[in-house]
Amino acid sequence: VSGRTYPVEVRYRALQTKDEDDREEDMEEAIVDAVDELMREGGGDILVFLPGEREIRDTAEHLRKHAMRGVEVLPLFARLSVEDQQRIFKPSGARRIVLATNVAETSLTVPGIRYVIDTGLARINRYSPRGKVTQLQIEKISQASARQRAGRCGRVAEGICVRLYDEDDFNARPPFSDPEILRSSLANVILRMEALKLAQSEGLDVKLL
């Protein structure tokens, strides 16, 4: 759906660490540094994209310890109560930092966002045919998802998006995310269709292996 957007400046701030054990801690520090940088740019709320609930809780605690005055840190993930989720739609007068999963990419729009910090990661459900299990893995997002995230700060005015990875990393990513049908097991769907006799009524040729 087309709509009016404003220019967004993209800044790359790649993490320097190569040690996976230190990567999460370094990412929290990088987010704090990016927040400080964006706070100096002017007014407006900040939206930070993180992979999942644990990373959001850890980063929220890290930001609160940073002791920024007049700033409200708001986590946003699926397991939060409805009341807590609704807080992002109710301005409190304080400057807000919203820590969200990829639900804030397309499922909802957080009002008042002028700046975005993109970790470049998301937790994605992916079925393993070899292991016969569905895993919720942390993966790099696609270029399309990265652009979608950046566009979140160009809705109300000109914005700035800080990506915590370098431009070469962005260019090496796949152009688009894998569609869900390629990441999911269709066994339950096929068995359900067979139980409801949908294949026969629709003239479909469904073979159970």
Side-chain angles (χ1 to χ4, degrees):
V1 178
S2 61
R4 180 177 180 179
T5 57
Y6 294 85
V8 175
E9 177 189 349
V10 176
R11 301 176 182 177
Y12 293 92
R13 300 286 186 271
L15 301 181
Q16 300 301 318
T17 182
K18 299 297 182 182
D19 189 341
E20 290 298 326
D21 294 334
D22 297 332
R23 188 172 183 83
E24 184 173 337
E25 183 177 348
D26 289 345
M27 181 169 289
E28 292 171 3
E29 290 292 341
I31 289 171
V32 170
D33 291 342
V35 166
D36 285 340
E37 176 184 340
L38 295 174
M39 295 280 280
R40 295 191 292 268
E41 292 290 338
D45 296 338
I46 300 172
L47 175 61
V48 184
F49 284 98
L50 288 151
E53 178 181 341
R54 183 172 65 85
E55 292 81 8
I56 287 176
R57 291 189 184 277
D58 291 345
T59 303
E61 182 179 356
H62 206 77
L63 285 168
R64 291 182 181 120
K65 287 180 179 177
H66 194 54
M68 291 176 288
R69 294 182 179 179
V71 174
E72 185 178 16
V73 179
L74 298 175
L76 178 62
F77 49 86
R79 290 209 312 162
L80 274 179
S81 66
V82 174
E83 182 180 355
D84 286 337
Q85 292 186 35
Q86 288 298 318
R87 290 176 62 194
I88 69 168
F89 300 108
K90 300 174 182 177
S92 62
R95 190 168 189 176
R96 303 181 305 162
I97 302 174
V98 180
L99 309 177
T101 60
N102 55 352
V103 68
E105 273 183 38
T106 55
S107 300
L108 56 85
T109 298
V110 182
I113 297 299
R114 288 283 309 277
Y115 310 102
V116 163
I117 300 173
D118 179 16
T119 61
L121 303 172
R123 286 192 181 272
I124 298 175
N125 271 314
R126 193 175 293 276
Y127 177 72
S128 171
R130 179 174 297 179
K132 301 295 190 292
V133 294
T134 299
Q135 298 173 314
L136 191 59
Q137 307 178 100
I138 294 181
E139 300 181 5
K140 292 182 177 182
I141 61 172
S142 66
Q143 294 181 16
S145 290
R147 292 191 182 97
Q148 183 75 31
R149 291 182 176 189
R152 288 292 161 175
C153 60
R155 298 299 180 90
V156 295
E158 294 182 3
I160 298 173
C161 173
V162 176
R163 291 175 175 164
L164 301 183
Y165 46 96
D166 59 35
E167 191 169 3
D168 290 338
D169 186 352
F170 171 79
N171 292 329
R173 298 184 180 207
F176 301 99
S177 304
D178 293 336
E180 188 173 359
I181 195 171
L182 297 181
R183 297 185 281 105
S184 305
S185 170
L186 298 180
N188 289 337
V189 177
I190 294 173
L191 289 172
R192 185 68 172 165
M193 289 174 62
E194 180 69 13
L196 296 174
K197 308 299 182 185
L198 292 180
Q200 297 176 12
S201 63
E202 298 295 336
L204 301 176
D205 182 16
V206 177
K207 297 180 180 178
L208 301 180
L209 301 179

